[in-house]
Amino acid sequence: MTQLDRNSQARAAIAADANRTGSVAIAAQVPARQHFQRTESLMKDWAGSIRSQHQINKKQLLETQHDFASPLPFPIAQRFTSHLNTAMVPSVRRSLLACVLAFCAFSAQAMECIVPAKPGGGMDGACKVMRKSLPTVADTPAANVKISYLPGGIGAVAWSSVVSQRRGGPDTLVTFSGGSLLNLAQGKYGKAAVSDVRWLAGIGVDYGMIAVRSDAPYRNLSELTQAMRRDPGKITIGVSGTVGSQDWLKVAMIARRANVDPRDLRFVALEGGGESFTALQAGHVQMISGDASEATQYASNGQFRVLAVLADQRLPGALAGVPTAREQGFDVVWPIIRGFYMSAHVSEADYQRWVTLFDQTMASDEFKRQRAASGLYPFAMTGAALTDYIHNVVEQYRKQSQDLGLVR
């Protein structure tokens, strides 16, 4: 028998064994080794066809063709494929590659938390609270939480991206705030509805507040609003955002209850709570409308005076001595929820998996510590209960905005 005949028999035996057992057949090197051609794979990231996760159509299998004359981008795969022989049947080759690629894909999986704003704000903080407090489970290690920033329109860009399926999946969450719900109520997300997404969890709540410098002549809301009535344009008010924003609405609602037209007031649009307190300290504005968590951070140095918190009852902690607006005769309560939603196209099983995980997490002591450290106050609601709550809040915001002439 010639050497060629012996090689042919050896290759045939190896192929038969691979077909019977489904195992990987490693053939000996032969002088006329041929390369694999047109190998099908389910890879998302391969040299020459790299795409980000959100660009992949989940409804289709992405097929790429690879010439093994070009080495694979994984060192172990490079060494492995150098020993693969053409005696292996195509079905075995595809099974082998699927195993290799599944291993690589598994190692890269992570929960994605989308922040629809720039880094450093309250919505960013919500993602970080969950990254620190999510328990480690088989398919969602807390250490693998990836935070992505997608700013624009106080959530409008992220909303559109998830609703249109450009982003989103069973392990992609988007954080939202009361500002997101206000924009939704005012139609700033376009023709959007509460039912366009799946509301997952509310993890905490902040509240509005009104503050002045510690040397200001105003000791309470009554003195402040009396000054507004005497000369509405005299007091310059710092707010985050423009007309119709949360901070603007807080002042407008208080002013209306004091028979002051908010359109006569002077507002200065600023970028976030940090800039508001800086402007107040420098004397560029005489009062600011912001959030209690911001006041907790800045008011402790004695340079500012918080006149009121817009909560149902007095808040614990550093602002425990500050009366509510309601105590002072102004029935204005402004909670600012922080939470998460998912794509409406996520399966019921995946949605309920996350609901259960959030329920477990928010019951833990570690979560409560992280929530308090971020300046949020207790609020925990998930699933159907949260969805009903969101419907009610958006409708309430819509009516308030209509009363102020912000929406038709």
Side-chain angles (χ1 to χ4, degrees), residues 13 34 49-50 87 98 105 120 132 146 153 162 185 199 207 220 222 265 295 306 356 365:
Q34 300 176 358
S49 62
I50 295 178
K132 294 175 181 177
K146 172 190 174 184
V162 170
W199 301 96
Y207 292 94
N220 51 54
S222 293
L265 300 175
V306 180
T356 300
D365 291 337

Coordinates of all heavy atoms in Angstrom, one line a residue, residues 13 34 49-50 87 98 105 120 132 146 153 162 185 199 207 220 222 265 295 306 356 365:
A13 N -11.0 7.4 8.4 CA -11.2 6.9 9.7 C -11.5 8.0 10.7 O -12.4 7.9 11.5 CB -10.1 6.0 10.2
Q34 N -5.3 21.6 2.9 CA -6.1 22.6 2.3 C -6.8 23.4 3.5 O -6.9 23.0 4.6 CB -7.3 21.9 1.5 CG -6.8 21.0 0.4 CD -7.9 20.4 -0.3 OE1 -9.1 20.5 0.1 NE2 -7.6 19.6 -1.3
S49 N -15.5 42.4 10.1 CA -17.0 42.5 10.2 C -17.4 43.0 11.6 O -18.4 42.6 12.1 CB -17.7 41.2 9.8 OG -17.3 40.2 10.7
I50 N -16.6 43.8 12.2 CA -16.8 44.2 13.6 C -18.0 45.2 13.6 O -18.0 46.1 12.9 CB -15.6 44.8 14.2 CG1 -14.5 43.8 14.3 CG2 -15.9 45.4 15.6 CD1 -13.2 44.3 14.9
A87 N -10.2 16.6 6.4 CA -11.0 15.3 6.5 C -12.2 15.6 7.4 O -13.2 14.8 7.3 CB -10.1 14.3 7.2
A98 N -18.9 27.0 16.4 CA -20.0 27.5 17.3 C -19.6 27.5 18.7 O -19.9 28.4 19.5 CB -21.3 26.7 17.1
A105 N -18.2 34.9 23.1 CA -19.3 35.8 23.3 C -19.8 35.8 24.7 O -20.1 36.8 25.3 CB -20.5 35.3 22.4
G120 N -22.2 62.2 35.7 CA -22.1 62.9 36.9 C -23.5 63.4 37.5 O -23.5 63.9 38.6
K132 N -23.2 48.9 42.2 CA -22.6 48.6 43.5 C -23.4 47.6 44.3 O -22.9 47.0 45.2 CB -22.3 49.9 44.3 CG -21.3 50.8 43.6 CD -21.2 52.1 44.4 CE -20.2 53.1 43.8 NZ -20.1 54.4 44.5
K146 N -22.0 47.6 32.5 CA -21.4 48.6 31.7 C -22.3 49.8 31.6 O -23.5 49.7 31.3 CB -21.2 48.0 30.3 CG -20.7 49.0 29.2 CD -20.8 48.4 27.8 CE -20.5 49.5 26.8 NZ -20.6 49.0 25.4
G153 N -31.9 65.8 25.2 CA -33.3 66.0 25.4 C -33.9 65.4 26.7 O -35.0 65.1 26.8
V162 N -34.3 53.3 22.0 CA -34.8 52.0 22.5 C -36.1 51.6 21.8 O -36.3 50.5 21.5 CB -35.0 52.1 24.0 CG1 -35.7 50.9 24.6 CG2 -33.6 52.1 24.7
A185 N -44.8 63.8 29.2 CA -46.1 64.4 29.3 C -46.3 65.7 28.5 O -47.4 65.9 28.0 CB -46.3 64.8 30.8
W199 N -41.7 49.5 32.0 CA -41.2 50.2 33.2 C -40.8 49.1 34.2 O -41.6 48.3 34.6 CB -42.3 51.1 33.8 CG -42.7 52.1 32.7 CD1 -43.7 52.1 31.9 CD2 -41.9 53.3 32.4 NE1 -43.7 53.2 31.1 CE2 -42.7 54.0 31.4 CE3 -40.8 53.9 32.9 CZ2 -42.2 55.2 30.8 CZ3 -40.4 55.1 32.4 CH2 -41.1 55.8 31.4
Y207 N -36.5 65.1 46.0 CA -37.6 66.1 46.1 C -37.1 67.4 45.8 O -35.9 67.7 46.0 CB -38.2 66.1 47.5 CG -38.9 64.8 47.9 CD1 -38.3 63.8 48.6 CD2 -40.3 64.7 47.6 CE1 -39.0 62.6 48.9 CE2 -41.0 63.5 47.9 CZ -40.3 62.5 48.6 OH -41.0 61.4 48.9
N220 N -38.4 82.5 54.9 CA -39.4 81.4 54.6 C -40.1 81.8 53.2 O -39.8 82.8 52.6 CB -40.4 81.3 55.7 CG -41.1 82.6 56.1 OD1 -41.6 83.3 55.2 ND2 -41.0 83.0 57.3
S222 N -43.1 82.6 52.6 CA -44.1 83.7 52.6 C -43.3 85.0 52.4 O -43.8 85.9 51.6 CB -44.8 83.8 54.0 OG -45.6 82.7 54.1
L265 N -41.6 86.7 36.2 CA -40.4 86.4 36.9 C -39.2 86.3 36.0 O -39.3 86.0 34.8 CB -40.5 85.1 37.7 CG -41.7 85.1 38.8 CD1 -41.8 83.7 39.4 CD2 -41.5 86.1 39.8
A295 N -29.0 70.0 47.7 CA -29.0 70.9 48.9 C -28.2 70.2 50.1 O -27.5 70.8 50.8 CB -30.4 71.3 49.4
V306 N -32.0 76.8 53.0 CA -33.0 76.1 52.3 C -34.3 76.5 52.9 O -34.6 76.3 54.1 CB -32.8 74.5 52.3 CG1 -34.0 73.8 51.6 CG2 -31.5 74.1 51.8
T356 N -37.8 40.5 39.5 CA -37.4 39.7 40.7 C -36.0 40.1 41.2 O -35.9 40.2 42.4 CB -37.4 38.2 40.3 OG1 -38.7 37.8 39.9 CG2 -37.0 37.3 41.5
D365 N -29.5 45.3 52.6 CA -29.0 46.4 53.4 C -27.9 47.2 52.5 O -27.8 48.4 52.7 CB -28.3 45.9 54.6 CG -29.3 45.4 55.6 OD1 -30.5 45.8 55.6 OD2 -28.9 44.5 56.5

